[in-house]
Amino acid sequence: MYSDKVIDHFTNPRNVGEIEGANGVGQVGNAKCGDIMRISLVVEEDIIKDIKFKTFGCGAAVATSSMVTEMVKGKTLEEALKVTNSTVAEALGGLPETKLHCSNLAADAVHDAIKNYLEKTKV
Amino acid sequence: MKRIYLDHSATTPVDPQVAELMMKYFVDYYGNPSSVHYYGREVRKALDEARTQVATLIGANPAEIAFTSGGTEADNLAIQGAAKAKLKKGNHLITSAIEHHAVLDTCKHLGKNGYELTILPVDEEGIISVDELKKAIRPETILVSIMHANNEVGSIQPIEEIGKITKQQDILFHVDAVQSLGKCSIDVKAMNIDLLTISSHKIYGPKGVGALYIRKGVRVSPLMFGGAQERKIRSGTENAPGIIGFGKACELAGQRMESERAHLTSLRDKLIDGIMSKIDNVKLNGPSGSKRLVNNVNVSINFIEGESLLLSLDMIGVAASSGSACTSGSLDPSHVLLAMGLSHEVAHGSLRLSLGMQNTDEDIDYVLEELPKIVDRLRAMSPLYTKTSC
Ligand SMILES: Cc1ncc(COP(=O)(O)O)c(C=O)c1O
Ligand SMILES: [Zn+2]
């Protein structure tokens, strides 16, 4: 039911972990569905230099987390904010319909981490 | 790749002896059992034999068996049919929170359509309280429906005790024995059961066939009207190959029951003990020992989610199942685990391994070797897991 890309990202997830000294962290969760995702990132001069994730969730949740980190790494914050949950799902070659709710986290977690960075740097 | 099937509670392979017998009734003896000619008579004979084989396994008379399209239909027929037939006497039904959806959703449907419904809770092992049941009975109670062994956590319910109460109070007692058939001895007379649901594909028979035992003298209204087959209780040309296969499967199950119980219990306990000792932060869901179905293992592995566990196991050739929401397509994890008081997080991390005839000690060794590695990998990815949490 999953595409090869999803299985690839699930089996060999990119950018797993937590960055010590991150300047932006975000966490979104859906206790009901059981998917929780945490993103930490390092932003330098408006560019996402490094990003890592940790995810509690199903295959779709892990794969979308992994994919989103690849999609935004090296990008400007503005570019990263344009990445949406559905572009992540698209990049994975689509997700089964029953799994779309699980992918509704990945981009949100990144946006949450960026927001956290922006709030910190404002003060 | 070596493949190990550990999902026998979902379904089982058809026994080659069963498949071989069925084949004849597809290609050679293909008559309609209602026909008077040779083709019909030959099938009728085989159906009669199947009815006897099924009845024998549960201590019933052949005339008390009505074949259906499976466990789901038998549950529906029992509950809807008895509720309708008994409506003059009362409109109150009692069931439990851990029933299969074929029972629970049927009862809930009736609960919205003129019937009163009590859903009994279960304790942390997934077992109902007989005292609670007694308290729930009212003058207008017409039916109690409680499963024998639960399909997710393997908890065995106090069927004998319930049967005594329902008999004494003249209330119909329906039991869904889909998971216990062939694994626990069932005697509908000794257990005072009025209606018993069984299904073929969980006992090495074909899919799409089951039966409802209906105690002599008990009336259930049919769900389907037509050619008056199965003593008018279930119209429709009989699924002859399926029923004959089911009969054979019942005969084999009876012969194998004792040795299979020993085989499955030993594998089950080895698997449970191995998981508990090799992985930290795990919880056994359901009872241990004799209150647990012989082939059921269900554990919650904290900090990881069930579906990702299933995917990882599938990649190494192990087929299992989970009560996680993400495996069901709904947003909620298993209603059984929630009824037992598990939190959503813990319920999401549940893993069910259900054993079967062909499983070996080596299969269990392999799982015990590989599962801890998978758990480590997934926990390393989990935001809920910190090394200090154990
Ligand atoms: C306890 C229980 N009842 C009923 C059913 C439904 O049986 P069937 O698949 O034959 O419709 C199942 C099978 O999943 C079951 O485990
Ligand atoms: Zn999910």
Side-chain angles (χ1 to χ4, degrees):
Chain A
M1 66 169 191
Y2 284 135
S3 70
D4 290 347
K5 267 220 175 112
V6 172
I7 294 294
D8 174 44
H9 275 269
F10 175 74
T11 324
N12 307 295
R14 334 295 198 251
N15 308 309
V16 179
E18 243 159 316
I19 305 171
E20 268 178 54
N23 55 10
V25 288
Q27 177 161 325
V28 291
N30 177 344
K32 273 241 145 169
C33 164
D35 293 328
I36 299 167
M37 179 176 178
R38 186 189 300 162
I39 289 277
S40 54
L41 41 79
V42 176
V43 181
E44 277 172 28
E45 295 172 358
D46 238 32
I47 301 223
I48 298 176
K49 287 281 181 197
D50 198 8
I51 178 165
K52 285 199 190 315
F53 80 89
K54 278 205 165 184
T55 290
F56 167 87
C58 62
V62 172
T64 49
S65 308
S66 166
M67 183 48 110
V68 80
T69 61
E70 272 205 330
M71 288 169 78
V72 304
K73 198 168 174 175
K75 296 282 162 62
T76 65
L77 295 184
E78 201 187 334
E79 287 167 324
L81 285 168
K82 281 189 190 138
V83 171
T84 66
N85 294 326
S86 60
T87 55
V88 176
E90 258 166 53
L92 284 166
L95 284 169
E97 206 171 306
T98 55
K99 291 290 174 181
L100 286 175
H101 69 260
C102 311
S103 69
N104 287 345
L105 287 179
D108 292 355
V110 171
H111 298 170
D112 197 49
I114 292 174
K115 203 175 98 199
N116 174 260
Y117 163 77
L118 291 174
E119 274 164 10
K120 271 198 219 159
T121 46
K122 231 191 292 175
V123 283
Chain B
M1 178 170 54
K2 182 183 164 78
R3 288 201 176 272
I4 301 176
Y5 186 75
L6 293 176
D7 204 11
H8 293 84
S9 290
T11 195
T12 58
V14 174
D15 189 290
Q17 289 185 61
V18 169
E20 196 190 332
L21 179 66
M22 287 175 69
M23 198 60 194
K24 288 207 302 191
Y25 292 89
F26 283 113
V27 296
D28 297 327
Y29 303 105
Y30 47 78
N32 186 319
S34 298
S35 302
V36 289
H37 50 61
Y38 166 81
Y39 296 92
R41 287 194 315 271
E42 285 304 307
V43 187
R44 175 59 60 196
K45 264 194 270 174
L47 285 186
D48 288 345
E49 190 184 342
R51 202 180 299 280
T52 303
Q53 288 165 323
V54 172
T56 303
L57 187 58
I58 59 171
N61 297 320
E64 295 173 311
I65 303 297
F67 288 109
T68 66
S69 66
T72 300
E73 189 192 331
D75 282 338
N76 273 269
L77 177 59
I79 296 164
Q80 295 191 50
K84 202 169 168 202
K86 282 275 176 194
L87 193 52
K88 280 214 184 76
K89 190 195 164 205
N91 70 341
H92 179 232
L93 316 169
I94 300 175
T95 189
S96 86
I98 59 160
E99 298 298 312
H100 190 274
H101 284 295
V103 167
L104 202 50
D105 291 2
T106 303
C107 287
K108 284 181 182 170
H109 173 75
L110 290 173
K112 286 196 203 113
N113 288 277
Y115 290 85
E116 299 280 316
L117 176 63
T118 300
I119 301 177
L120 298 173
V122 292
D123 63 17
E124 63 280 1
E125 291 193 327
I127 297 177
I128 69 149
S129 144
V130 174
D131 281 338
E132 297 259 0
L133 172 74
K134 278 187 194 155
K135 277 188 233 152
I137 292 173
R138 314 175 191 164
E140 59 279 12
T141 305
I142 49 175
L143 177 71
V144 170
S145 179
I146 301 290
M147 70 198 322
H148 192 186
N150 180 265
N151 47 302
E152 291 187 32
V153 299
S155 52
I156 295 173
Q157 305 303 317
I159 296 300
E160 284 94 341
E161 276 182 78
I162 300 168
K164 278 183 199 138
I165 296 164
T166 50
K167 186 185 177 188
Q168 198 189 0
Q169 311 234 15
D170 197 24
I171 297 164
L172 289 180
F173 184 26
H174 168 243
V175 175
D176 179 330
V178 168
Q179 292 291 338
S180 58
L181 186 72
K183 298 186 202 86
C184 304
S185 63
I186 298 173
D187 184 331
V188 288
K189 301 273 143 72
M191 294 162 127
N192 291 305
I193 295 167
D194 298 301
L195 300 157
L196 184 96
T197 292
I198 53 182
S199 176
S200 154
H201 72 105
K202 315 280 184 181
I203 63 158
Y204 309 94
K207 292 163 185 62
V209 56
L212 182 65
Y213 154 80
I214 306 168
R215 176 190 288 278
K216 187 166 184 279
V218 169
R219 245 173 35 81
V220 295
S221 299
L223 299 177
M224 274 182 283
F225 300 90
Q229 286 89 348
E230 299 296 293
R231 303 180 317 287
K232 293 195 189 161
I233 290 159
R234 206 279 189 176
S235 284
T237 299
E238 297 87 341
N239 168 11
I243 291 169
I244 292 160
F246 184 23
K248 184 72 186 171
C250 284
E251 182 190 79
L252 294 172
Q255 291 164 2
R256 290 167 177 159
M257 178 136 50
E258 221 168 298
S259 61
E260 267 313 290
R261 278 181 62 83
H263 169 232
L264 294 170
T265 305
S266 117
L267 295 185
R268 176 196 73 183
D269 292 343
K270 173 173 172 165
L271 188 50
I272 291 175
D273 293 347
I275 291 173
M276 303 309 280
S277 68
K278 288 192 167 203
I279 303 171
D280 61 84
N281 283 291
V282 279
K283 177 185 179 307
L284 178 68
N285 296 318
S288 44
S290 62
K291 281 195 272 175
R292 187 178 199 99
L293 194 62
V294 288
N295 77 326
N296 175 284
V297 175
N298 187 312
V299 289
S300 279
I301 303 183
N302 291 353
F303 318 121
I304 62 180
E305 191 276 336
E307 198 227 40
S308 54
L309 193 54
L310 295 189
L311 267 182
S312 306
L313 284 167
D314 186 46
M315 283 169 190
I316 60 153
V318 176
S321 80
S322 167
S324 147
C326 277
T327 64
S328 67
S330 82
L331 286 178
D332 280 320
S334 145
H335 68 287
V336 175
L337 297 176
L338 295 182
M340 289 162 63
L342 267 65
S343 69
H344 271 68
E345 281 93 324
V346 177
H348 279 303
S350 82
L351 173 68
R352 180 186 74 180
L353 303 161
S354 48
L355 302 155
M357 205 156 64
Q358 284 153 346
N359 291 133
T360 61
D361 264 302
E362 288 72 49
D363 293 348
I364 307 304
D365 291 335
Y366 181 72
V367 172
L368 290 176
E369 184 72 32
E370 297 300 322
L371 183 61
K373 295 184 211 162
I374 290 172
V375 170
D376 281 348
R377 187 181 95 85
L378 292 174
R379 279 184 176 167
M381 238 189 261
S382 169
L384 301 179
Y385 186 64
T386 43
K387 281 270 154 49
T388 52
S389 55
C390 52

Short mmCIF file of all heavy atoms in Angstrom, two decimals, chain A residues 40-77:
data_model
loop_
_atom_site.label_atom_id
_atom_site.label_comp_id
_atom_site.label_asym_id
_atom_site.label_seq_id
_atom_site.Cartn_x
_atom_site.Cartn_y
_atom_site.Cartn_z
N SER A 40 14.28 19.77 15.12
CA SER A 40 15.21 20.80 15.60
C SER A 40 16.03 21.28 14.42
O SER A 40 16.38 20.50 13.54
CB SER A 40 16.09 20.26 16.73
OG SER A 40 16.75 19.08 16.34
N LEU A 41 16.28 22.59 14.39
CA LEU A 41 17.03 23.11 13.24
C LEU A 41 18.02 24.19 13.63
O LEU A 41 17.91 24.83 14.69
CB LEU A 41 16.09 23.57 12.12
CG LEU A 41 14.82 24.33 12.41
CD1 LEU A 41 15.12 25.79 12.69
CD2 LEU A 41 13.90 24.22 11.20
N VAL A 42 19.00 24.35 12.76
CA VAL A 42 19.99 25.42 12.92
C VAL A 42 19.83 26.36 11.73
O VAL A 42 19.95 25.94 10.58
CB VAL A 42 21.43 24.86 12.94
CG1 VAL A 42 22.46 25.98 13.02
CG2 VAL A 42 21.60 23.88 14.10
N VAL A 43 19.51 27.60 12.05
CA VAL A 43 19.34 28.61 11.00
C VAL A 43 20.51 29.58 11.06
O VAL A 43 20.87 30.07 12.14
CB VAL A 43 18.01 29.38 11.19
CG1 VAL A 43 17.82 30.42 10.08
CG2 VAL A 43 16.84 28.42 11.24
N GLU A 44 21.11 29.80 9.91
CA GLU A 44 22.17 30.82 9.82
C GLU A 44 21.88 31.71 8.64
O GLU A 44 21.72 31.22 7.52
CB GLU A 44 23.55 30.13 9.63
CG GLU A 44 24.16 29.67 10.93
CD GLU A 44 25.41 28.83 10.70
OE1 GLU A 44 26.08 29.06 9.66
OE2 GLU A 44 25.69 27.94 11.52
N GLU A 45 21.83 32.97 8.88
CA GLU A 45 21.54 33.96 7.83
C GLU A 45 20.36 33.53 6.96
O GLU A 45 20.45 33.47 5.73
CB GLU A 45 22.78 34.20 6.96
CG GLU A 45 23.88 34.85 7.79
CD GLU A 45 25.20 34.93 7.03
OE1 GLU A 45 25.25 34.44 5.88
OE2 GLU A 45 26.13 35.49 7.59
N ASP A 46 19.29 33.20 7.66
CA ASP A 46 18.04 32.90 6.97
C ASP A 46 18.04 31.56 6.22
O ASP A 46 17.08 31.26 5.51
CB ASP A 46 17.70 34.01 5.97
CG ASP A 46 16.35 34.62 6.27
OD1 ASP A 46 15.99 34.65 7.47
OD2 ASP A 46 15.65 35.00 5.33
N ILE A 47 19.09 30.78 6.39
CA ILE A 47 19.15 29.50 5.68
C ILE A 47 19.13 28.36 6.69
O ILE A 47 19.79 28.45 7.73
CB ILE A 47 20.44 29.43 4.82
CG1 ILE A 47 20.41 30.58 3.82
CG2 ILE A 47 20.60 28.06 4.17
CD1 ILE A 47 20.81 30.29 2.42
N ILE A 48 18.38 27.31 6.37
CA ILE A 48 18.36 26.14 7.26
C ILE A 48 19.63 25.34 6.99
O ILE A 48 19.74 24.64 5.98
CB ILE A 48 17.09 25.29 7.04
CG1 ILE A 48 15.85 26.12 7.37
CG2 ILE A 48 17.14 24.02 7.88
CD1 ILE A 48 14.52 25.43 7.10
N LYS A 49 20.59 25.48 7.89
CA LYS A 49 21.89 24.82 7.71
C LYS A 49 21.81 23.35 8.08
O LYS A 49 22.47 22.51 7.49
CB LYS A 49 22.94 25.51 8.59
CG LYS A 49 23.35 26.86 8.09
CD LYS A 49 24.35 26.72 6.94
CE LYS A 49 24.76 28.11 6.47
NZ LYS A 49 25.38 28.12 5.17
N ASP A 50 21.04 23.09 9.13
CA ASP A 50 20.93 21.70 9.59
C ASP A 50 19.52 21.48 10.16
O ASP A 50 18.91 22.41 10.69
CB ASP A 50 22.00 21.39 10.65
CG ASP A 50 22.19 19.88 10.82
OD1 ASP A 50 21.62 19.10 10.02
OD2 ASP A 50 22.90 19.47 11.76
N ILE A 51 19.08 20.24 10.01
CA ILE A 51 17.74 19.92 10.52
C ILE A 51 17.69 18.43 10.88
O ILE A 51 18.28 17.60 10.19
CB ILE A 51 16.66 20.27 9.47
CG1 ILE A 51 15.25 19.89 9.98
CG2 ILE A 51 16.91 19.58 8.12
CD1 ILE A 51 14.12 20.53 9.19
N LYS A 52 17.05 18.12 11.99
CA LYS A 52 16.87 16.72 12.38
C LYS A 52 15.46 16.52 12.93
O LYS A 52 14.83 17.44 13.41
CB LYS A 52 17.90 16.33 13.43
CG LYS A 52 19.32 16.12 12.87
CD LYS A 52 20.14 15.30 13.84
CE LYS A 52 21.63 15.24 13.50
NZ LYS A 52 22.02 15.00 12.13
N PHE A 53 15.01 15.25 12.84
CA PHE A 53 13.67 14.97 13.35
C PHE A 53 13.67 13.76 14.26
O PHE A 53 14.54 12.90 14.19
CB PHE A 53 12.69 14.72 12.19
CG PHE A 53 12.77 13.31 11.61
CD1 PHE A 53 11.99 12.27 12.14
CD2 PHE A 53 13.62 13.02 10.56
CE1 PHE A 53 12.05 10.98 11.62
CE2 PHE A 53 13.70 11.72 10.03
CZ PHE A 53 12.91 10.70 10.57
N LYS A 54 12.65 13.73 15.10
CA LYS A 54 12.31 12.50 15.84
C LYS A 54 10.81 12.32 15.73
O LYS A 54 10.06 13.26 15.94
CB LYS A 54 12.72 12.62 17.31
CG LYS A 54 14.19 12.30 17.54
CD LYS A 54 14.44 11.83 18.95
CE LYS A 54 15.81 11.19 19.05
NZ LYS A 54 16.04 10.63 20.40
N THR A 55 10.41 11.12 15.41
CA THR A 55 8.99 10.88 15.19
C THR A 55 8.52 9.60 15.87
O THR A 55 9.18 8.57 15.79
CB THR A 55 8.68 10.80 13.67
OG1 THR A 55 8.84 12.11 13.13
CG2 THR A 55 7.27 10.32 13.40
N PHE A 56 7.38 9.73 16.53
CA PHE A 56 6.64 8.58 17.03
C PHE A 56 5.45 8.46 16.11
O PHE A 56 4.60 9.34 16.06
CB PHE A 56 6.17 8.86 18.47
CG PHE A 56 5.14 7.89 18.99
CD1 PHE A 56 5.52 6.71 19.60
CD2 PHE A 56 3.78 8.18 18.89
CE1 PHE A 56 4.57 5.82 20.10
CE2 PHE A 56 2.82 7.30 19.40
CZ PHE A 56 3.22 6.12 20.00
N GLY A 57 5.41 7.41 15.34
CA GLY A 57 4.28 7.30 14.43
C GLY A 57 4.43 6.16 13.46
O GLY A 57 5.39 5.40 13.50
N CYS A 58 3.45 6.10 12.57
CA CYS A 58 3.40 4.99 11.62
C CYS A 58 4.39 5.19 10.48
O CYS A 58 5.12 6.18 10.45
CB CYS A 58 1.99 4.89 11.07
SG CYS A 58 1.48 6.34 10.17
N GLY A 59 4.39 4.29 9.55
CA GLY A 59 5.29 4.37 8.41
C GLY A 59 5.18 5.69 7.66
O GLY A 59 6.18 6.31 7.31
N ALA A 60 3.93 6.13 7.46
CA ALA A 60 3.70 7.38 6.73
C ALA A 60 4.27 8.56 7.52
O ALA A 60 4.86 9.48 6.95
CB ALA A 60 2.21 7.58 6.49
N ALA A 61 4.11 8.53 8.83
CA ALA A 61 4.59 9.64 9.66
C ALA A 61 6.11 9.71 9.62
O ALA A 61 6.69 10.80 9.49
CB ALA A 61 4.09 9.46 11.09
N VAL A 62 6.77 8.57 9.70
CA VAL A 62 8.24 8.55 9.66
C VAL A 62 8.74 9.02 8.29
O VAL A 62 9.64 9.86 8.18
CB VAL A 62 8.79 7.15 9.99
CG1 VAL A 62 10.30 7.08 9.75
CG2 VAL A 62 8.46 6.75 11.43
N ALA A 63 8.11 8.50 7.24
CA ALA A 63 8.58 8.84 5.89
C ALA A 63 8.37 10.31 5.57
O ALA A 63 9.24 10.96 4.97
CB ALA A 63 7.85 7.96 4.86
N THR A 64 7.23 10.88 5.98
CA THR A 64 7.01 12.31 5.70
C THR A 64 7.98 13.17 6.51
O THR A 64 8.48 14.18 6.01
CB THR A 64 5.56 12.75 6.02
OG1 THR A 64 5.21 12.29 7.32
CG2 THR A 64 4.57 12.19 5.01
N SER A 65 8.29 12.73 7.73
CA SER A 65 9.27 13.48 8.53
C SER A 65 10.61 13.50 7.83
O SER A 65 11.25 14.56 7.70
CB SER A 65 9.46 12.81 9.89
OG SER A 65 8.24 12.59 10.52
N SER A 66 11.04 12.33 7.40
CA SER A 66 12.33 12.21 6.73
C SER A 66 12.34 13.06 5.45
O SER A 66 13.28 13.80 5.18
CB SER A 66 12.59 10.74 6.41
OG SER A 66 13.64 10.60 5.50
N MET A 67 11.28 12.96 4.68
CA MET A 67 11.20 13.68 3.42
C MET A 67 11.25 15.18 3.62
O MET A 67 11.95 15.90 2.92
CB MET A 67 9.92 13.27 2.68
CG MET A 67 9.73 13.90 1.31
SD MET A 67 11.18 13.81 0.24
CE MET A 67 10.67 12.65 -0.99
N VAL A 68 10.52 15.66 4.61
CA VAL A 68 10.46 17.12 4.78
C VAL A 68 11.83 17.69 5.16
O VAL A 68 12.20 18.77 4.72
CB VAL A 68 9.34 17.53 5.78
CG1 VAL A 68 9.78 17.36 7.22
CG2 VAL A 68 8.90 18.97 5.52
N THR A 69 12.58 16.91 5.93
CA THR A 69 13.92 17.43 6.29
C THR A 69 14.79 17.55 5.05
O THR A 69 15.54 18.51 4.91
CB THR A 69 14.62 16.53 7.33
OG1 THR A 69 14.81 15.22 6.77
CG2 THR A 69 13.84 16.45 8.64
N GLU A 70 14.66 16.60 4.14
CA GLU A 70 15.42 16.69 2.89
C GLU A 70 14.98 17.87 2.05
O GLU A 70 15.78 18.53 1.40
CB GLU A 70 15.22 15.40 2.06
CG GLU A 70 16.20 14.31 2.38
CD GLU A 70 16.38 13.36 1.19
OE1 GLU A 70 15.41 13.18 0.42
OE2 GLU A 70 17.48 12.80 1.06
N MET A 71 13.68 18.11 2.06
CA MET A 71 13.14 19.17 1.20
C MET A 71 13.53 20.57 1.65
O MET A 71 13.63 21.48 0.82
CB MET A 71 11.61 19.05 1.12
CG MET A 71 11.13 17.86 0.29
SD MET A 71 9.37 17.55 0.45
CE MET A 71 8.68 18.82 -0.63
N VAL A 72 13.73 20.76 2.96
CA VAL A 72 13.98 22.13 3.43
C VAL A 72 15.44 22.38 3.80
O VAL A 72 15.83 23.54 4.00
CB VAL A 72 13.07 22.51 4.63
CG1 VAL A 72 11.59 22.33 4.26
CG2 VAL A 72 13.42 21.72 5.86
N LYS A 73 16.22 21.34 3.87
CA LYS A 73 17.62 21.53 4.25
C LYS A 73 18.35 22.35 3.18
O LYS A 73 18.26 22.03 1.99
CB LYS A 73 18.30 20.18 4.43
CG LYS A 73 19.60 20.26 5.22
CD LYS A 73 20.06 18.87 5.59
CE LYS A 73 21.43 18.94 6.25
NZ LYS A 73 21.84 17.62 6.74
N GLY A 74 19.04 23.42 3.62
CA GLY A 74 19.75 24.28 2.66
C GLY A 74 18.87 25.36 2.05
O GLY A 74 19.35 26.18 1.27
N LYS A 75 17.60 25.34 2.40
CA LYS A 75 16.67 26.32 1.82
C LYS A 75 16.54 27.54 2.73
O LYS A 75 16.86 27.50 3.93
CB LYS A 75 15.29 25.68 1.65
CG LYS A 75 15.26 24.52 0.67
CD LYS A 75 15.25 25.02 -0.76
CE LYS A 75 15.64 23.96 -1.77
NZ LYS A 75 14.74 22.83 -1.78
N THR A 76 16.08 28.64 2.14
CA THR A 76 15.80 29.83 2.96
C THR A 76 14.52 29.58 3.76
O THR A 76 13.72 28.71 3.41
CB THR A 76 15.56 31.08 2.09
OG1 THR A 76 14.37 30.86 1.31
CG2 THR A 76 16.74 31.36 1.18
N LEU A 77 14.35 30.36 4.81
CA LEU A 77 13.14 30.20 5.63
C LEU A 77 11.89 30.44 4.79
O LEU A 77 10.89 29.75 4.94
CB LEU A 77 13.17 31.17 6.82
CG LEU A 77 14.29 30.91 7.83
CD1 LEU A 77 14.16 31.86 9.01
CD2 LEU A 77 14.28 29.46 8.32
#
